[in-house]
Amino acid sequence: MAAGDRKMNRWSRAALLAGAAICAIVSASTLPARAQAPDIQSMEPKIPDDAKLLLAANELIYNNDTEKVIARGAVQINYGGYKLVARQVEYNQNTGRLTAHGNIELIEPTGNRVYADEMDLSDDFANGFVNALRIETTDLTKLAATSGERVNGEEMILNHAVYTACTPCATNPTHRSLWQIKAERVVQNGRTKTIRLERARFEMFGRPIAYIPVLEVPDHTVKRKSGFLFPQFSYEQKLGLGITTPYYFAIAPDMDATLSPTVLTRQGFLVEGEFRKRFHNGQITLRAAGIDQWNPSVFTAGTSDRRDDFRGMVASEGRFRINPRWAFGWDVMAQTDNNFSRTYDLDGLEDRIHVNQIYLTGLGDRNVFDLRSFYFDVQDADPQDRLERKQAIAQTLDHEYIVPQPVLGGELSITTNITNVERDLADVYSVRGNERFRGLAGGTTRLTSEVEWRRQLIVPGGLVLTPLLAARGDIHRLDMSNPGPGYAGNYVDDNSTTRAMLTAGLEARYPILATTDYSTHLFEPIAQIYLRPDEDHAGGLPNEDAQSFVFDATNLFERDKFSGFDRIEGGSRANLGLRYTGTFDNGLRLRSIIGQSFHLGGVNSFATPDLVNAGANSGLETDSSDYVGMAGIDLPNGLSLAHSARLDKDDLSLRRADTSVRFDGARFETEITYTRIAAQPAYGLERDASEIQSAAAFKFEDYWSVFGSLTYDINSQSLSRNGIGFSYDDRDTVFSIVYEQTRDKSRTTANDWSIGARLMFRTLGDINVGDTTLTGFE
């Protein structure tokens, strides 16, 4: 029945607010990692002003003598999104007490459910208690307590409380979480904003593994507070066991810091600190770390890891959003030697090459701007730091602009690139007695600007024609050392030079669609022709950004197949190929590309050696190129295969192949990749190279998995990397342990093997020992 009487409204509303008071108990029980609980000082639910209260019960009694209102039998109260169910609800207007009995259930608007057997509260909610309390939240955590009470309007107390997280319980009610926290008392103080656990213990598999007499932590209303964080653990072969106890400093609302001292059983005391400062449009981070090594002799003789006792680094990172379109930032690191951060596995700084950079970027509706400065910090164990001194210190500017309005019915774009390079030592290697130069000592600057116009036309019959015109010009500053007599190619030995290229091209595609009752097939023959003069100074200019070149199906139809700006594809060329895509109703998918490229006239840029002989043995150095193709198949059962290959144009022998097989199943997944590269003597690869990489994972029980990966060098018949691990993951508890071994012939790593482990409890925290990311797994 609808409730409209004043007294009725008062006690019914009190019942709902009392239920909300029960919800406040949740905040006292959820431990420091949780932040979803309601504010202890905001006891009243947020009820809309126009909310209507509905009450239903088998019996409703007004006792004017005792000033009591009693609802009995299947009591249901619905008010402002809150729902309360109980056997009996009684409100005493003389004492201001509200009581509820029997199978009490409260459902919040958020979906949290609170269960109890008995509830007794004052109507101002300053005091009260609840018996046999049980709470289930929407994020699948559970709390139970023999009783809960609110005292003096500021403290919530739970007696004999048990807390756990149980995500699998949503689909499997019989599942039991591996862990739980028990405490004699849990007290939340609304005035001091703290939660105190008294005589608490952490249990796994029903056995206590940690006991805490008293622990007081901030409650959920405190967003940041100084204090110790979860300890971290690590183990490396030459560092020993590491135990890190981070301490967090809440300096100001926009500023904080973390000090992370680590004790390493073989090397001593490592100190790492991080300072963070936020601004209205970005943030900066400052980091520093250092150690006075106890036992450097465990490192390989003749390495920088062994040379110095004291080692350290400083680093900074900044990111600022100038406005919605422009951003500015940096990422820089300096260290006492070239391998400290990698040896000690400092988070985010342990890569083989750390890229120091400063950048300014802009993004508009029709243009992109990117200005960067780079310094490449090569982290290896060479005391002379020769590889790093061979790296370029580079500044680049890239700008691309697309004219908003069509020009002659087509799209006009303008691309600009400026690159400046400075290098301390020449990066030289020898191929069959001939010197090759990845980079020359000294400096060079190149300004490139290119204009391209293209338009797509569809002629009757479905033929798609795309005419293209392009014009490019380069200006070079050359202040680099001469490669010397060991270089057999042409070299422009001037202080400056210019270069230009004009291109006229046409692409023709004829899509053919074939359908059956069960499938769709798209065949697309493609033909391209590009007319252009010879490349100016072919092979005679420094090549910094176009050294990596692989001819395959992915770049068959590119206008300029070189990967960067330093080389230009010159001479006239035609590209022919066929693209196919097939889709079947049962989920089967097919895809393939096959084709060949033809040099029609002029000087073939790929047959013209430069300082690194890019293009040599690429398959494009002859008038008719090698055949390139790729094919893939995706089966509905989770199996997929992909293969790409380059075949010799004369005898169809295999010049390069990449094959991968992947299977994704409910319990088993694996991927195997095979790569074979035929010898490229002119490019520096004297022998055939073949390698197999594999990774697999098998789920042998619910939540339990074993996984592993390996990399096998077929030519040397040896494992270059292998690892194995197993894990348990039920989303509330994650445990994994990984062993990985690397055979590093270049001696750039300090540790040959490592063990990593991780233990995570949802809503509580994460404990890591080393790195649990196994190579080969994403």
Side-chain angles (χ1 to χ4, degrees):
M1 59 181 168
D5 182 81
R6 177 180 298 179
K7 291 183 179 180
M8 184 69 174
N9 238 337
R10 182 183 176 190
W11 82 264
S12 299
R13 184 173 182 272
L16 263 297
L17 296 181
I22 299 175
C23 296
I25 296 176
V26 178
S27 64
S29 65
T30 51
L31 302 177
R34 311 240 324 135
Q36 295 89 349
D39 190 339
I40 192 170
Q41 294 180 329
S42 302
M43 298 295 298
E44 295 193 8
K46 296 180 180 179
I47 305 296
D49 294 336
D50 59 348
K52 297 183 181 299
L53 188 147
L54 298 177
L55 167 68
N58 294 337
E59 184 180 7
L60 185 61
I61 301 172
Y62 296 87
N63 192 325
N64 294 324
D65 296 332
T66 60
E67 293 290 318
K68 291 183 179 179
V69 182
I70 304 172
R72 292 176 179 165
V75 181
Q76 299 182 36
I77 303 173
N78 192 325
Y79 184 45
Y82 288 83
K83 299 177 181 179
L84 180 67
V85 177
R87 290 182 185 174
Q88 177 175 308
V89 177
E90 178 181 315
Y91 179 61
N92 190 321
Q93 299 180 61
N94 289 328
T95 62
R97 306 292 296 188
L98 183 143
T99 60
H101 303 275
N103 298 331
I104 302 170
E105 179 181 358
L106 173 77
I107 303 176
E108 292 185 273
T110 60
N112 291 341
R113 294 175 179 266
V114 182
Y115 303 91
D117 285 344
E118 183 180 1
M119 177 176 65
D120 187 330
L121 293 171
S122 60
D123 59 2
D124 61 357
F125 310 113
N127 300 284
F129 70 88
V130 179
N131 280 335
L133 174 68
R134 184 164 56 91
I135 301 170
E136 296 179 1
T137 66
T138 54
D139 63 349
L140 303 176
T141 60
K142 293 185 176 183
L143 169 78
T146 58
S147 63
E149 57 183 320
R150 179 170 169 81
V151 181
N152 300 325
E154 65 179 24
E155 282 191 344
M156 298 293 297
I157 302 173
L158 293 180
N159 299 306
H160 303 288
V162 180
Y163 169 81
T164 190
C166 192
T167 302
C169 295
T171 55
N172 181 13
T174 63
H175 181 82
R176 294 295 177 265
S177 180
L178 296 185
W179 60 269
Q180 61 184 6
I181 296 176
K182 292 183 178 180
E184 292 295 319
R185 292 212 320 165
V186 180
V187 181
Q188 181 177 13
N189 191 304
R191 177 176 53 83
T192 61
K193 300 186 183 300
T194 58
I195 296 177
R196 186 174 72 254
L197 304 179
E198 299 177 358
R199 297 185 294 280
R201 63 182 184 271
F202 182 83
E203 296 183 353
M204 285 195 68
F205 303 103
R207 301 288 183 180
I209 63 172
Y211 175 74
I212 305 173
V214 178
L215 176 64
E216 187 168 276
V217 295
D219 69 10
H220 72 281
T221 63
V222 179
K223 303 302 181 184
R224 302 161 68 248
K225 187 178 179 66
S226 299
F228 286 100
L229 304 178
F230 258 82
Q232 301 170 1
F233 304 90
S234 63
Y235 188 84
E236 299 287 349
Q237 178 189 9
K238 296 173 182 177
L239 306 182
L241 175 65
I243 303 175
T244 305
T245 54
Y247 189 89
Y248 176 76
F249 295 90
I251 303 173
D254 59 345
M255 195 184 313
D256 60 14
T258 304
L259 181 65
S260 303
T262 301
V263 176
L264 296 163
T265 56
R266 302 199 69 180
Q267 294 301 335
F269 193 61
L270 173 70
V271 179
E272 183 179 1
E274 182 173 347
F275 170 81
R276 296 166 291 270
K277 165 73 175 176
R278 284 190 176 274
F279 301 87
H280 72 281
N281 63 340
Q283 69 176 33
I284 61 171
T285 301
L286 301 176
R287 295 178 63 182
I291 187 173
D292 190 4
Q293 297 183 138
W294 285 353
N295 191 17
S297 61
V298 301
F299 296 113
T300 304
T303 64
S304 56
D305 293 298
R306 184 167 179 168
R307 182 184 57 184
D308 299 322
D309 291 339
F310 176 80
R311 306 173 70 184
M313 74 87 197
V314 292
S316 176
E317 185 175 358
R319 297 190 301 272
F320 290 89
R321 177 66 63 179
I322 301 173
N323 58 41
R325 294 183 180 271
W326 288 89
F328 167 72
W330 66 85
D331 182 357
V332 296
M333 177 184 69
Q335 46 189 351
T336 56
D337 62 86
N338 56 345
N339 210 34
F340 168 69
S341 297
R342 192 175 187 220
T343 299
Y344 286 90
D345 199 24
L346 301 184
D347 186 33
L349 302 175
E350 71 277 22
D351 290 342
R352 172 76 169 82
I353 298 179
H354 181 78
V355 181
N356 297 271
Q357 62 175 310
I358 302 174
Y359 62 88
L360 172 67
T361 61
L363 177 63
D365 293 336
R366 307 285 289 183
N367 61 83
V368 177
F369 177 91
D370 192 299
L371 175 64
R372 294 177 186 266
S373 180
F374 296 95
Y375 179 85
F376 301 95
D377 192 344
V378 179
Q379 301 197 77
D380 61 12
D382 177 15
Q384 304 300 319
D385 213 5
R386 283 165 291 198
L387 285 180
E388 183 170 317
R389 295 171 63 194
K390 293 177 181 180
Q391 294 294 313
I393 302 174
Q395 297 79 40
T396 64
L397 183 151
D398 287 284
H399 182 256
E400 183 173 355
Y401 175 69
I402 300 176
V403 177
Q405 302 300 325
V407 176
L408 299 177
E411 180 184 84
L412 183 67
S413 63
I414 304 172
T415 301
T416 302
N417 174 267
I418 301 176
T419 299
N420 182 76
V421 171
E422 303 289 337
R423 182 179 279 103
D424 185 22
L425 295 179
D427 190 355
V428 187
Y429 63 101
S430 180
V431 176
R432 295 188 168 187
N434 296 318
E435 290 184 340
R436 302 296 183 206
F437 297 83
R438 298 186 184 93
L440 297 173
T444 181
T445 305
R446 175 185 40 75
L447 167 62
T448 298
S449 185
E450 182 177 68
V451 179
E452 181 188 82
W453 174 88
R454 66 172 61 220
R455 180 181 180 184
Q456 187 177 92
L457 304 170
I458 302 177
V459 301
L463 180 65
V464 181
L465 298 177
T466 305
L468 175 146
L469 296 172
R472 168 176 165 170
D474 298 326
I475 300 176
H476 289 263
R477 174 189 72 90
L478 303 173
D479 188 19
M480 310 185 81
S481 61
N482 192 296
Y487 175 58
N490 298 320
Y491 179 70
V492 179
D493 194 10
D494 294 326
N495 293 328
S496 62
T497 190
T498 60
R499 182 173 61 178
M501 178 63 67
L502 298 174
T503 303
L506 178 66
E507 178 186 86
R509 295 185 292 115
Y510 189 69
I512 302 172
L513 182 64
T515 61
T516 69
D517 293 339
Y518 309 103
S519 62
T520 302
H521 306 268
L522 178 63
F523 301 89
E524 192 173 28
I526 302 174
Q528 295 176 331
I529 185 169
Y530 296 108
L531 304 177
R532 54 201 164 197
D534 297 339
E535 178 186 5
D536 290 338
H537 309 299
L541 296 173
N543 179 4
E544 296 280 352
D545 67 358
Q547 298 180 7
S548 176
F549 178 73
V550 176
F551 176 48
D552 57 22
T554 62
N555 57 18
L556 170 63
F557 299 112
E558 293 291 331
R559 170 169 64 90
D560 190 334
K561 295 178 176 59
F562 282 113
S563 56
F565 289 95
D566 283 336
R567 289 297 305 267
I568 303 176
E569 185 177 339
S572 299
R573 179 170 292 275
N575 303 312
L576 298 176
L578 174 68
R579 180 185 290 128
Y580 162 75
T581 303
T583 304
F584 295 79
D585 291 349
N586 63 358
L588 175 67
R589 293 184 178 181
L590 303 174
R591 60 192 184 280
S592 66
I593 298 175
I594 189 170
Q596 191 176 18
S597 184
F598 302 91
H599 180 73
L600 303 179
V603 176
N604 187 343
S605 294
F606 301 102
T608 307
D610 59 18
L611 289 167
V612 292
N613 213 4
N617 303 129
S618 65
L620 286 166
E621 68 274 16
T622 55
D623 289 344
S624 298
S625 77
D626 289 343
Y627 297 98
V628 293
M630 62 82 62
I633 178 172
D634 299 318
L635 301 175
N637 63 358
L639 180 66
S640 60
L641 299 92
H643 177 72
S644 63
R646 177 165 64 90
L647 304 178
D648 187 274
K649 64 181 180 61
D650 296 322
D651 57 12
L652 298 182
S653 60
L654 190 64
R655 308 303 301 164
R656 183 184 179 100
D658 294 277
T659 304
S660 65
V661 180
R662 183 175 182 87
F663 176 76
D664 291 295
R667 288 190 172 271
F668 178 71
E669 60 178 302
T670 186
E671 182 172 16
I672 301 174
T673 301
Y674 168 75
T675 300
R676 182 184 184 278
I677 304 174
Q680 297 176 256
Y683 192 62
L685 185 63
E686 295 292 339
R687 299 186 306 163
D688 294 351
S690 300
E691 184 180 80
I692 293 178
Q693 293 181 339
S694 66
F698 175 60
K699 185 177 181 181
F700 57 90
E701 290 288 347
D702 288 343
Y703 316 122
W704 289 94
S705 299
V706 61
F707 52 91
S709 70
L710 62 84
T711 301
Y712 183 74
D713 189 328
I714 298 176
N715 294 78
S716 62
Q717 296 184 349
S718 64
L719 284 173
S720 57
R721 184 185 296 268
N722 62 282
I724 190 171
F726 72 91
S727 68
Y728 173 90
D729 184 356
D730 66 3
R731 292 178 289 175
D732 295 322
T733 308
V734 176
F735 171 72
S736 60
I737 185 168
V738 169
Y739 170 83
E740 187 167 18
Q741 185 176 21
T742 302
R743 293 162 182 83
D744 184 12
K745 297 180 181 179
S746 63
R747 300 193 308 178
T748 62
T749 60
N751 301 286
D752 300 324
W753 56 266
S754 63
I755 295 176
R758 179 191 181 199
L759 183 60
M760 185 277 288
F761 304 106
R762 187 170 71 91
T763 76
L764 297 183
D766 201 345
I767 300 174
N768 288 283
V769 180
D771 186 6
T772 56
T773 303
L774 191 61
T775 302
F777 285 88
E778 297 181 356

